[in-house]
Amino acid sequence: MSDWRPTASLAHLQDRACVLAQVREFFAQRRVLEVETPLACLHTVTDPNIESYSFADRSNQRYLQTSPEYAMKRLLAAGASDIYQICKCFRQGEQGDLHNPEFTMIEWYRLGQNIEQIMQETVELITQVLKAFELSKQVEYVTYADLFSQSLGVSFADLAENDIDQICTQHGLQSVRKFSLAQKIDFIFSHVIAAKLNSNAITCVYHYPAEQAALARLNPDDDSVADRFEVFAGGVELANGYVELIDADIQLARFESDQLSRTNNNLTNIEIDQRLIDAQKHGLPECAGVALGFDRLLMLALGATSIVQVMSFSWDNA
């Protein structure tokens, strides 16, 4: 007999509804407009670390979106002001205590904000939600390089590839030796450093290496780092944000680099979303954006140990 029951308790689903209302009130007070964009589109991300779900639609292939970022940026280029949305996103092959292939994202964009301002707003949203559940956590800010150096006792600026390989060996990560240097550094950060972050704090890690800029601009005063940050609760990533890259030519070159990486790693080739590039050429305003995992935030607020405890039905039970 099949198990038809929800994976979340009714109490957790009531809490979920309350937090959704709280998030909407947070943005309403700041006059940020709620928008909706399509979940099924003709294009998806080229990021070699993310795999999308696709399906056939007549003569076209469509993709379930891993994030509403591209469509929201097209709205900004068309003249929209500050915007946000709460929507479902889909990522193939991501399943576990902290992952469900279908999950809920809060994503928002603020015109004219710098990295300090958008980080502060992200922290305000997280702490307001936690406060409603009588939870309080200290907030810490640290650069990527400083955290790397403090955690491993090495100078991030002076690291050579041999040093990275030695760190991988010390922590049982020999399997990443085939990765690029940038991928090795990211893997060490994710599996060794972030996993040991203070569980009693909200930690904002900022100024990621330029090689991990993705769709972020490089810092105007130091092009070795990107104006990108992530927010963690202990070892759990809650949010990823950055001051947006608005140069279409640089963005196109990054997408082409992604395609090359996908080819070199025998991954499916993904066409570049030309509509996003054209929108940037038309004029993406200076802005900053954040993607925050709503389900993970709710897990933190409720003390849940698995993401399926805060959503009505898991991927395997839908």
Side-chain angles (χ1 to χ4, degrees):
M1 186 175 180
S2 63
D3 189 354
W4 53 267
R5 294 167 295 184
T7 49
S9 67
L10 295 181
H12 278 184
L13 293 179
Q14 290 170 345
D15 288 330
R16 185 181 180 98
C18 289
V19 175
L20 284 170
Q22 185 181 1
V23 170
R24 286 190 163 94
E25 178 61 22
F26 178 90
F27 288 113
Q29 290 178 353
R30 289 159 175 77
R31 297 185 179 181
V32 182
L33 177 69
E34 183 172 9
V35 298
E36 290 184 332
T37 56
L39 290 180
C41 299
L42 292 172
H43 293 89
T44 187
V45 295
T46 55
D47 189 330
N49 298 308
I50 298 176
E51 287 301 317
S52 303
Y53 286 100
S54 63
F55 63 95
D57 172 34
R58 297 182 181 177
S59 60
N60 295 314
Q61 184 175 30
R62 289 187 179 269
Y63 299 89
L64 295 178
Q65 294 302 285
T66 62
S67 156
E69 179 171 6
Y70 290 8
M72 292 182 77
K73 285 182 174 176
R74 287 167 61 186
L75 290 178
L76 293 172
S81 187
D82 298 333
I83 55 175
Y84 83 98
Q85 75 171 296
I86 304 170
C87 66
K88 293 293 187 180
C89 295
F90 301 83
R91 297 188 183 184
Q92 189 172 171
E94 298 190 8
Q95 192 166 8
D97 288 339
L98 298 174
H99 299 87
N100 195 65
E102 177 184 351
F103 60 98
T104 300
M105 184 93 82
I106 309 169
E107 186 147 338
W108 73 97
Y109 293 86
R110 300 282 258 150
L111 302 188
Q113 285 198 352
N114 59 32
I115 189 169
E116 289 83 9
Q117 291 170 316
I118 197 68
M119 271 198 299
Q120 180 61 38
E121 186 166 67
T122 305
V123 168
E124 288 174 1
L125 175 56
I126 292 170
T127 54
Q128 279 194 26
V129 168
L130 297 183
K131 186 177 180 180
F133 292 86
E134 299 184 351
L135 293 175
S136 176
K137 290 184 179 290
Q138 66 191 67
V139 180
E140 300 174 349
Y141 296 86
V142 60
T143 67
Y144 186 102
D146 285 347
L147 182 59
F148 205 104
S149 300
Q150 292 166 12
S151 301
L152 299 177
V154 295
S155 170
F156 183 77
D158 297 330
L159 280 176
E161 187 152 12
N162 287 340
D163 300 319
I164 294 296
D165 287 339
Q166 185 175 1
I167 293 170
C168 289
T169 299
Q170 289 172 350
H171 291 88
L173 303 176
Q174 294 91 330
S175 61
V176 306
R177 283 184 172 272
K178 61 183 179 180
F179 292 178
S180 70
L181 179 58
Q183 288 174 322
K184 291 176 186 177
I185 291 172
D186 184 41
F187 204 86
I188 291 170
F189 182 86
S190 300
H191 290 78
V192 178
I193 298 173
K196 298 178 181 178
L197 288 173
N198 185 354
S199 61
N200 294 315
I202 299 298
T203 305
C204 295
V205 184
Y206 63 99
H207 283 167
Y208 274 61
E211 294 78 11
Q212 298 180 37
L215 284 83
R217 77 171 187 185
L218 300 186
N219 182 271
D221 299 319
D222 180 3
D223 63 7
S224 71
V225 299
D227 276 343
R228 176 188 167 200
F229 71 95
E230 291 188 334
V231 182
F232 296 85
V236 179
E237 178 196 339
L238 295 178
N240 177 35
Y242 34 84
V243 180
E244 304 296 338
L245 174 64
I246 63 175
D247 188 303
D249 293 332
I250 296 176
Q251 189 63 76
L252 179 59
R254 290 186 188 176
F255 286 163
E256 290 171 343
S257 177
D258 283 348
Q259 287 182 314
L260 179 60
S261 179
R262 294 185 72 88
T263 298
N264 291 339
N265 287 282
N266 298 315
L267 299 174
T268 304
N269 181 57
I270 300 295
E271 289 186 8
I272 292 170
D273 188 345
Q274 191 60 45
R275 288 190 177 93
L276 174 63
I277 298 300
D278 290 344
Q280 286 184 302
K281 288 179 179 179
H282 175 78
L284 181 65
E286 293 192 3
C287 59
V290 183
L292 189 155
F294 176 78
D295 307 296
R296 289 188 182 181
L297 177 59
L298 196 56
M299 283 180 65
L300 179 63
L302 298 178
T305 58
S306 172
I307 196 169
V308 302
Q309 295 172 348
V310 298
M311 53 180 54
S312 56
F313 297 99
S314 71
W315 186 254
D316 294 331
N317 197 29

